[in-house]
Amino acid sequence: MNHRVVITGHGFVLPLGISPENVLFTLQTKNTPFVPSIHDPHVAVCPVPDFDLKDYIGRFKHARYLSRGQQLGLAAAILALNDAGLEQKQEHCGLFLGLGPNLEARPRQDKALWLLDFLPNTLAACMAEFLGVHGENLTISTACAASTQALGQAYLAIAQGRLSLALAGGGDSRLCLEGLVAYKQAGVLATDFTHAHQACRPFDQSRSGFAIGEGGAMFVLESLDHALKRQANILGEIMGTASSLDGKSLTSPDPQGRAACQAVSTCLKNLDQEELCILAHGTGTIINDEVESQIIKNMAPQVHSICAFKSHIGHLASACGAAELALGLVCAKHNWFPAINNLTRPCDPDLPFLLESKTFSPKTLLVQSFGFGGQNACLAVRLWT
Amino acid sequence: MHTTQAIITLVSEILDLEPTEIQIKTYLIRDLHAESIDLLEIGIAIQHRLGIAVDDDQLFLKDMRMIISRAEKDGILPLDALHVSYPHLSLERLQDIVHDLVLGPVVQVQDLIAYAHYALKVQS
């Protein structure tokens, strides 16, 4: 690990907005983007309003092979490059994507290459062609841990000196009928609510499941030397990453959270917990939040605050970690973090969950993502001052 | 007219263009920069939407140079050989195509329309 790695740009297309200003405004005005699903009014969803990929890239014929989630990721990548002040056509830029399956893909009589709808690396191929990035790349499909792990892999590639610049993150959308039915049958959705914004209740004793969100979030990562040389605006420095696998259940986390604890402790090594804000996975499912609370209690007993952005944007599946890091960076820059929505009776009264919105300046953010299959990933980011 | 419009519509959808940018004499590859995967999609879409069997090699005149070269070797008039292989194209159009070959890929939207018309006629 010879090279320090910094974040020099972020781009996101989220239910809360596409710029730091409108994201912050929506969070502060509590203008909730949750609505009942058009497929089932008993399920709460959090859509990105009025998204059209053409608004970001103009004409792009290969978009016909991209799922909505992948299109959100592509739009976010364009915004991230702009934010970093980089031209497209970064020949040696790496590309690390965390993606999920395209649940709407089907064999089709009217589409010659419907196979591309299924292949998880179709987005990488499109990004390489459209953005002109041709370096080391990886498409990671580790469920809800995917985009966090993609960021971690990009960090490692730069830290180890294989790359000096990389794009990393993800995009996902499961608001379609197939996604909704799949989650409903798995029994992970909140359905006991009167208003859609009350569905997702992370870490509350009354929690009953998650609400489905969608969006894309991408980051530009570079070696510190590379960033300083081009006088880039540095948002934060990645201090560590780790991933692990429970091996206990195909869906639920290990109730003991052993492998997840290992990942979190690796990530937290050498970090001062008293100025740490954890961006919790916080899905609002009974088992995740219970295990995650225990993990935090064991591994980060001195943590300053715990934030749960899924209560504001829903669960973005494979893109959740990247999206939550983007929101964490926006909030940290403005020294303000929102309360966890619908959290009135915490499942663990000893943990510093954000019950009220708070003005404070954490030094470090820890993204925690725990996915189906017992996939655990985390990423520590020190804010740049 | 229905066939013409259907083909212009599907080509515009696949290449993400406005239908008004596509005329019957527009070249698929030279003007619209269609790639091999786009041709695959166009072939399948014509087959599916117009309900005709499509042979991509014939539709996109893929073997044209080989047919001409083989005819020359066998002492047959290239135009006659082309007419046998591409019965949907008129002799006049084939003559234009032969002259045009030197400038690059020759398939125009009108050739797709001619193929569809011919296939529909044979089918009925």
Side-chain angles (χ1 to χ4, degrees):
Chain A
M1 299 288 190
N2 296 324
H3 302 267
R4 293 172 68 185
V5 181
V6 291
I7 299 173
T8 55
H10 56 6
F12 45 83
V13 182
L14 297 174
L16 298 172
I18 61 168
S19 71
E21 295 71 28
N22 55 33
V23 157
L24 207 66
F25 178 79
T26 315
L27 282 172
Q28 290 180 335
T29 53
K30 299 184 178 173
N31 194 3
T32 174
F34 289 95
V35 291
S37 164
I38 53 167
H39 302 298
D40 181 345
H42 302 296
V43 171
V45 296
C46 200
V48 173
D50 307 319
F51 173 69
D52 185 348
L53 184 63
K54 275 193 168 51
D55 296 341
Y56 298 83
I57 65 173
R59 289 173 175 168
F60 186 55
K61 62 187 178 183
H62 297 335
R64 63 178 180 257
Y65 302 116
L66 299 179
S67 67
R68 181 175 166 88
Q70 291 174 331
Q71 293 190 14
L72 287 160
L74 176 52
I78 291 161
L79 296 179
L81 282 173
N82 288 343
D83 188 50
L86 288 169
E87 299 283 325
Q88 291 177 14
K89 315 293 175 201
Q90 295 292 328
E91 182 79 11
H92 302 294
C93 181
L95 180 59
F96 297 79
L97 297 172
L99 298 172
N102 176 0
L103 295 174
E104 293 176 286
R106 299 278 180 282
R108 286 169 56 165
Q109 296 292 327
D110 61 342
K111 195 172 190 181
L113 296 170
W114 52 263
L115 176 64
L116 296 178
D117 298 350
F118 284 84
L119 295 180
N121 66 326
T122 300
L123 178 59
C126 286
M127 280 192 182
E129 184 174 335
F130 188 81
L131 302 176
V133 295
H134 304 289
E136 178 179 336
N137 80 94
L138 199 57
T139 297
I140 297 172
S141 292
T142 47
C144 306
S147 62
T148 305
Q149 215 170 339
L151 282 157
Q153 290 300 310
Y155 157 72
L156 292 173
I158 296 171
Q160 292 164 359
R162 303 201 303 276
L163 288 170
S164 51
L165 177 69
L167 262 173
D172 210 338
S173 173
R174 313 255 173 112
L175 271 54
C176 58
L177 179 63
E178 293 80 358
L180 188 140
V181 170
Y183 281 142
K184 206 168 179 185
Q185 287 182 352
V188 293
L189 296 179
T191 51
D192 57 340
F193 55 88
T194 310
H195 299 290
H197 67 271
Q198 297 167 329
C200 182
R201 308 188 288 277
F203 302 108
D204 193 81
Q205 288 178 27
S206 73
R207 69 194 183 276
S208 66
F210 63 78
I212 314 172
E214 64 172 359
M218 294 288 295
F219 299 83
V220 172
L221 272 52
E222 18 187 336
S223 67
L224 179 61
D225 292 346
H226 192 273
L228 291 175
K229 203 178 286 176
R230 69 177 193 92
Q231 296 181 309
N233 177 37
I234 297 173
L235 305 172
E237 177 175 4
I238 300 185
M239 304 304 290
T241 188
S243 64
S244 64
L245 197 53
D246 285 352
K248 288 286 176 189
S249 162
L250 293 188
T251 53
S252 294
D254 169 14
Q256 307 299 318
R258 280 168 288 216
C261 280
Q262 187 58 48
V264 171
S265 92
T266 305
C267 239
L268 286 178
K269 215 175 280 172
N270 306 325
L271 292 185
D272 183 356
Q273 289 185 20
E274 283 167 15
E275 290 172 291
L276 169 73
C277 178
I278 290 183
L279 309 181
H281 190 54
T283 56
T285 60
I286 290 170
I287 183 76
N288 175 83
D289 294 4
E290 186 183 317
V291 175
E292 188 170 17
S293 298
Q294 204 52 52
I295 292 167
I296 295 172
K297 214 167 183 175
N298 292 341
M299 296 296 117
Q302 305 301 318
V303 59
H304 182 281
S305 298
I306 301 167
C307 186
F309 281 119
K310 286 183 183 69
S311 68
H312 299 276
I313 58 170
H315 194 340
L316 271 58
S318 63
C320 71
E324 289 155 15
L325 175 60
L327 294 177
L329 288 171
V330 169
C331 290
K333 189 176 175 195
H334 292 85
N335 305 314
W336 177 88
F337 280 77
I340 298 173
N341 272 340
N342 306 310
L343 177 57
T344 51
R345 289 183 302 141
C347 58
D348 189 326
D350 298 334
L351 287 173
F353 296 115
L354 283 173
L355 297 171
E356 301 289 339
S357 299
K358 201 185 218 175
T359 299
F360 74 107
S361 312
K363 268 196 177 161
T364 316
L365 304 175
L366 176 71
V367 181
Q368 296 188 161
S369 302
F370 307 127
F372 266 28
Q375 297 281 354
N376 311 305
C378 36
L379 187 85
V381 177
R382 197 178 66 189
L383 298 155
W384 199 259
T385 48
Chain B
M1 189 56 200
H2 169 73
T3 308
T4 302
Q5 204 47 56
I7 287 179
I8 288 177
T9 301
L10 68 87
V11 169
S12 72
E13 286 172 6
I14 289 166
L15 298 178
D16 200 11
L17 299 168
E18 293 300 325
T20 49
E21 293 173 80
I22 302 168
Q23 311 297 321
I24 59 168
K25 293 210 169 179
T26 303
Y27 291 95
L28 274 185
I29 297 168
R30 271 194 236 175
D31 295 334
L32 303 181
H33 310 292
E35 303 167 67
S36 59
I37 66 167
D38 302 325
L39 300 186
L40 276 174
E41 295 294 358
I42 290 169
I44 285 279
I46 290 177
Q47 181 161 307
H48 189 259
R49 292 197 203 176
L50 300 180
I52 56 176
V54 168
D55 176 338
D56 276 12
D57 291 344
Q58 203 177 25
L59 177 65
F60 298 116
L61 314 177
K62 287 185 179 171
D63 300 330
M64 181 154 280
R65 289 171 195 277
M66 194 184 71
I67 293 167
I68 292 172
S69 141
R70 194 179 296 156
E72 283 168 348
K73 206 189 282 174
D74 295 345
I76 300 168
L77 277 177
L79 221 48
D80 290 345
L82 289 173
H83 198 47
V84 171
S85 296
Y86 303 117
H88 58 288
L89 297 179
S90 67
L91 278 171
E92 192 187 1
R93 173 66 186 135
L94 285 170
Q95 220 152 16
D96 286 348
I97 285 174
V98 170
H99 288 132
D100 200 18
L101 262 177
V102 68
L103 295 174
V106 291
V107 189
Q108 294 180 341
V109 173
Q110 63 170 328
D111 303 325
L112 310 186
I113 296 166
Y115 185 93
H117 278 146
Y118 183 82
L120 286 166
K121 202 166 120 189
V122 169
Q123 204 166 276
S124 65

